[in-house]
Amino acid sequence: MSSPLGHEVLTPPENWGGVTDPTLHDASNFRYLVHGLNPAGGMSALMSQKMDAENGITGDEGWGDQRINLYDEPERLGERIALSMSLIDQKHTDTWGEGGLVVGAAPENIVVTSPADNGTNNNNLDQVLAQAARQPQLTGDSLLAQTSPRDYNEVVAVCKQGAHPLDLKGFFIKTTPSGEPLNRQLADEMANHARRLGMPLVRIASEAFHTSDRVDIKEDGKLAVEFNGHRYLLRGYGDSEFDAYDGQIRPRFPAPHEVEAAVSYSVSTGELETTKGADILKSYAARDAQRQMPTVRFNDDGGVRSISYRTGYGTNEDEVILDGNGTGSRINRAEQVAFMKNIGMSQSSRIVSRLKDKPAPITPPEADSMVERACAALDETEVNKVREWFTQNRGNLVRQWEFHEQARRRLGGFGVFSFAYGDKLQSLGDEFPALYKTLR
């Protein structure tokens, strides 16, 4: 007996790739077929659909429904058209997303196997099968043997066609080597699904970068130092100079004691002269002072667009902004990166991200201080423009702060981000009572 794809029907189905059982997870010996959830997936799918429409390429409803959002409804993966996945094990842990689904697929459903990202258009089954016909199909062992330890492979399976739709086996989240989720919101969502469906949740530790201390001097004079698990860009990197990257390649602005330690290490190796090390520390101090100085940005017509500065270091770095209307906000940079990671996942993820990571307002005295500090670097004409602008708009900032304080007193801890929603907050609680309760 044959499936619609021409493969022999497997009864009972077996799983492709020599995968292990996630209910018996062993961090030192595992193999899973996983679908990583990534906000870029939705945008990529929309672009592919747009291009198909522009080129007159039509689909078939019988192929499946690629609109199903697996962030919200992972149990429906067998109803989609095709699914891109990666085969991972303890030596190959890179994935397209920082969490997602553990999948079971019969060998007949696997159509594309590539040691690197294959750029498959999963919206169109004809294109998927045409691409599969042009490429050799690898076994799980061969695929992993050809996959770089620092890159993910791509395995494409048809979801609905054939004798056996794809099967959800569990969920995974990526963590740092110490066990910290790389994406807290995604990790929480996968844990919620695992509890709801009674399925396993496995934690996959990512390989750490910058594990050995070294001084990296390029031929063009660029200097970077890898020290204590971080990479510091110390010279020749333009706007990125003095940025630091942790073992998961996440950028941040380092604290003075970190840069001092990295420079001292470089000098101790003999690869950096003491005088040049001192110059680097002076340049860092100047950059640090510059980022903490409120800066005015003007529109083309000379009006004030914003005033902003940054304060704090690492995950505690905040950006403080007064916008063109005079309203202010304090945004944690690490939380902003986390928000951007999740904004494209689904409507529910956008609501949670928007509420949890909503910036706090700034006080009127803090705004007054910002304006005065910013004016210290301007000429007289610019100072007059800024002060006139702030006089006209300061009332907006005062009203914003008063509204925030009223909401905080009324709603307790929830008020830290409720100021931006006002009357919409109660309707949100009515529409999503479980979400409202969680956030409270």
Side-chain angles (χ1 to χ4, degrees), residues 385-403:
K385 285 183 179 179
V386 170
R387 287 180 173 161
E388 181 181 356
W389 161 81
F390 191 55
T391 298
Q392 293 174 350
N393 290 281
R394 190 177 185 277
N396 294 336
L397 182 107
V398 171
R399 284 188 290 273
Q400 177 196 29
W401 178 254
E402 290 176 346
F403 185 83

Side-chain angles (χ1 to χ4, degrees), residues 153-363:
N153 54 55
E154 183 174 2
V155 179
V156 181
V158 292
C159 300
K160 182 179 178 182
Q161 300 295 309
H164 307 296
L166 293 190
D167 187 23
L168 180 63
K169 297 293 186 181
F171 301 89
F172 79 97
I173 60 173
K174 300 292 290 295
T175 72
T176 64
S178 63
E180 173 197 356
L182 298 185
N183 186 324
R184 172 62 67 181
Q185 182 179 316
L186 181 56
D188 289 346
E189 189 68 15
M190 295 304 99
N192 290 338
H193 284 311
R195 285 191 293 269
R196 177 175 64 85
L197 299 171
M199 289 185 165
L201 174 72
V202 296
R203 303 169 73 87
I204 308 296
S206 298
E207 183 180 358
F209 290 75
H210 320 316
T211 55
S212 299
D213 296 344
R214 70 186 186 99
V215 179
D216 181 14
I217 302 178
K218 306 294 186 183
E219 291 184 1
D220 60 2
K222 289 181 179 177
L223 168 66
V225 178
E226 295 178 11
F227 184 69
N228 281 348
H230 293 78
R231 180 177 175 86
Y232 300 91
L233 309 184
L234 298 184
R235 187 176 61 203
Y237 285 90
D239 291 341
S240 297
E241 195 157 279
F242 299 114
D243 281 356
Y245 293 82
D246 66 8
Q248 303 305 312
I249 320 298
R250 293 175 295 192
R252 60 190 181 83
F253 191 85
H257 69 86
E258 294 181 77
V259 178
E260 291 168 4
V263 169
S264 295
Y265 164 75
S266 302
V267 171
S268 72
T269 66
E271 297 189 60
L272 182 67
E273 297 175 5
T274 301
T275 54
K276 290 184 177 179
D279 289 341
I280 288 173
L281 292 179
K282 289 180 181 177
S283 296
Y284 166 80
R287 175 67 65 88
D288 191 17
Q290 180 185 40
R291 62 187 277 275
Q292 296 191 57
M293 178 60 65
T295 300
V296 182
R297 290 173 176 80
F298 293 96
N299 295 318
D300 292 339
D301 61 4
V304 175
R305 180 188 306 170
S306 66
I307 302 177
S308 66
Y309 72 97
R310 294 186 182 182
T311 183
Y313 304 97
T315 57
N316 294 318
E317 182 182 15
D318 291 341
E319 183 170 20
V320 184
I321 304 173
L322 274 175
D323 65 22
N325 295 318
T327 55
S329 57
R330 178 181 293 272
I331 303 169
N332 179 270
R333 299 288 295 170
E335 290 178 355
Q336 186 179 50
V337 170
F339 169 78
M340 295 306 297
K341 280 184 177 182
N342 293 292
I343 193 170
M345 289 292 191
S346 71
Q347 182 180 7
S348 60
S349 72
R350 286 192 291 273
I351 291 171
V352 173
S353 292
R354 198 159 55 235
L355 289 177
K356 284 187 174 180
D357 300 325
K358 196 66 184 177
I362 61 176
T363 67

Side-chain angles (χ1 to χ4, degrees), residues 3 10 57 82 90 96 98 118 136 179 187 193 202 242 245 248 251 286 339 343 372 376 390 418 433:
S3 75
L10 303 173
I57 300 173
Q90 66 279 1
W96 193 53
E98 296 172 329
N118 203 56
H193 284 311
V202 296
F242 299 114
Y245 293 82
Q248 303 305 312
F339 169 78
I343 193 170
E372 289 307 308
F390 191 55
S418 66

